[in-house]
Amino acid sequence: DETNRKIYLEYIDNSISLKKVLKDIKDYAHPTIVEIIRELAKTIAKLHNIDIIHGDLTTSNFVVKAKDTLGSIPLIEGGNVLEKILANGFLLYAIDFGLSSVSKLVEDKAVDLYVLQRALTSTHPGSECLFESFLEQYTKEANNASKVIERYKKVVLRGRKK
């Protein structure tokens, strides 16, 4: 709730971690994978736009669920995850806000992106193209994106800690 700066929690039945989706699919150029990453960028931009820093942006802290009109589709049982996502679309949820904070600082937002970039490349070798797609979408969605990305580049050069 952007107006009241609240995050609501819900139980997300029949979802699968983004980490598992990426490990199972392995085709980082697949249009649906790229769309999931763009949705990830939109989600993080929304958080940053209201000054919420996740603090632990990894592919384990996002879950994907196939959409359908009749309720939940079990993603893990009976069939290919990608087929169900392709057939029904998907919803992406951020989870685990245990390390989150509120900050207006460009530095904190840049470090959030750096943590995600490191998590992607270390957990999913060859996924550098995904982070490029992420940054492209984040630039379109985030307030002060150019300042955040400029600072992100400095964080990459020095590492996470100042």
Side-chain angles (χ1 to χ4, degrees), residues 108-152:
D108 293 339
K109 295 170 186 179
V111 169
D112 234 11
L113 298 187
Y114 176 71
V115 170
L116 176 64
Q117 180 265 327
R118 296 284 297 171
L120 264 174
T121 56
S122 65
T123 308
H124 310 283
S127 66
E128 292 78 11
C129 62
L130 291 180
F131 195 70
E132 291 172 22
S133 295
F134 172 89
L135 287 178
E136 183 181 301
Q137 190 67 43
Y138 183 87
T139 299
K140 294 175 185 175
E141 305 289 335
N143 302 337
N144 297 322
S146 61
K147 289 180 182 178
V148 173
I149 300 216
E150 182 180 319
R151 182 62 63 91
Y152 157 78

Side-chain angles (χ1 to χ4, degrees), residues 44-103:
I44 294 169
K46 285 178 186 176
L47 292 173
H48 286 178
N49 287 344
I50 57 173
D51 299 325
I52 296 175
I53 309 304
H54 186 279
D56 193 15
L57 291 176
T58 68
T59 54
S60 295
N61 286 332
F62 289 85
V63 294
V64 181
K65 178 178 178 172
K67 283 186 196 176
D68 80 338
T69 57
L70 301 175
S72 300
I73 295 176
L75 291 179
I76 298 170
E77 299 173 24
N80 182 296
V81 172
L82 183 56
E83 288 174 11
K84 291 185 181 194
I85 291 171
L86 282 172
N88 300 289
F90 66 90
L91 298 170
L92 181 73
Y93 297 87
I95 61 171
D96 192 357
F97 283 83
L99 296 176
S100 67
S101 61
V102 175
S103 175

Side-chain angles (χ1 to χ4, degrees), residues 14-30:
N14 295 316
S15 62
I16 189 169
S17 72
L18 178 56
K19 178 180 180 178
K20 182 155 178 41
V21 171
L22 293 175
K23 285 194 176 281
D24 287 353
I25 305 307
K26 295 182 184 136
D27 178 4
Y28 300 137
H30 192 285

